[in-house]
Amino acid sequence: MPEGDSVYRVARRLDRALLGQRLTRARLQVPAHATAELAGATVVANETWGKHLLIRSDAGWTLHTHLRMDGSWTVTGPGKVLPRRLQPDVRVLLGTEAGSTAHGLSIPVVELLDTSAEHRAVGHLGPDPLREDFDPAEAVRRLSSDPTRPLAPALLDQRLVAGLGNLWANELCFLRGHSPWTPVGEVDVAALVTLAARSLQRSARVPEAYQVTTGRTRRGETHWVAGRAHRPCLRCGTPVRVVAEVPGDPDRRRTWWCPHCQPGPGPEAC
């Protein structure tokens, strides 16, 4: 699933194609909004909050999308067309006067809102380190609200801090030296929030740093634990362990950890 830094990068790519541009073609291939008239409006912002994208117009509407597991955006330049094999996957099409077209592919959440009602889509979300209004103290307060909750599930709860997905939750646990099942009350939450914000901001804004947590760009060495099941820990050599997710339980996602570098309770603690 794309994480907050992924969606932030999508928004910046859409800035180059859409921002300040009048829409000459616009189509939403979802039943609820199939007849919506969007052409003629000008895109005035591509905002993100966590994993949510908000495309705002000067006509008072906001297009809210969420990529979840399979969605993506692609942009074609003037005179270019989307490959035929991808055309059945188009859920959103936004074509501009300048000739660029943004295509939202296989996007499961497509919602047209009055801009004044954006809170319906994102009002439940916690502070986002990639937003200008990020409040680290509020993030600390929310994460600390249940001191018995295991650390990794707390980091994944978008109501507490928005934008951290499974990759970042696992990597942050490693970087702070905590088992993913360590109770939040046993963690320096302020230091964790500082690290999470710095890491997500660098990943989103520095091209060569995108989701690189080790400082190494060699294939297979960009992450400390995420995706490295049964391989030697890059710090101590101990085999990285993994437990599978439990379908339908958001607190029990696939989890990787090094039992030597991350002492503490194991998955049986859940």
Side-chain angles (χ1 to χ4, degrees), residues 3-12 14-15 45-56 64-65 118 122 125-126 128-133 162-163 204-205:
E3 312 211 4
D5 49 354
S6 312
V7 179
Y8 180 92
R9 285 175 171 246
V10 167
R12 302 293 71 80
L14 293 181
D15 280 350
N46 296 297
E47 288 278 351
T48 62
W49 197 324
K51 304 175 187 182
H52 299 252
L53 174 64
L54 303 166
I55 301 175
R56 295 192 190 118
H64 164 235
T65 61
E118 284 181 3
V122 296
L125 297 172
D128 178 352
L130 298 179
R131 290 178 57 85
E132 292 184 3
D133 60 1
R205 295 166 182 158

Side-chain angles (χ1 to χ4, degrees), residues 7-8 10-23 25-28 38 41-49 51-67 72-75 91-96 101-105 107 109-116 118 121-122 131:
V7 179
Y8 180 92
V10 167
R12 302 293 71 80
R13 191 163 73 248
L14 293 181
D15 280 350
R16 295 189 289 273
L18 301 177
L19 192 60
Q21 295 291 323
R22 188 173 72 87
L23 299 177
R25 295 186 301 148
R27 187 169 72 247
L28 304 182
L38 307 183
T42 296
V43 174
V44 297
N46 296 297
E47 288 278 351
T48 62
W49 197 324
K51 304 175 187 182
H52 299 252
L53 174 64
L54 303 166
I55 301 175
R56 295 192 190 118
S57 78
D58 65 350
W61 53 257
T62 292
L63 180 62
H64 164 235
T65 61
H66 193 300
L67 301 178
S72 65
W73 284 90
T74 190
V75 174
R91 299 293 176 269
V92 179
L93 183 148
L94 302 173
T96 70
T101 304
H103 309 264
L105 306 176
I107 298 178
V109 177
V110 178
E111 183 180 20
L112 194 62
L113 302 167
D114 289 337
T115 299
S116 61
E118 284 181 3
V122 296
R131 290 178 57 85

Side-chain angles (χ1 to χ4, degrees), residues 68-91:
R68 292 195 177 161
M69 293 297 293
D70 300 318
S72 65
W73 284 90
T74 190
V75 174
T76 53
K80 304 294 184 180
V81 297
L82 194 69
R84 184 174 298 178
R85 62 182 173 80
L86 296 178
Q87 291 177 8
D89 298 330
V90 174
R91 299 293 176 269

Side-chain angles (χ1 to χ4, degrees), residues 157-211:
D157 190 335
Q158 300 298 295
R159 299 169 299 177
L160 307 183
V161 180
L164 299 174
N166 208 33
L167 183 148
W168 281 111
N170 281 268
E171 293 295 287
L172 289 167
C173 286
F174 179 90
L175 288 166
R176 291 299 300 168
H178 298 301
S179 156
W181 299 275
T182 302
V184 170
E186 298 179 13
V187 170
D188 184 338
V189 177
L192 178 66
V193 166
T194 297
L195 177 62
R198 186 171 69 242
S199 299
L200 204 64
Q201 290 162 6
R202 177 172 170 79
S203 179
R205 295 166 182 158
V206 179
E208 62 273 18
Y210 176 59
Q211 295 188 347

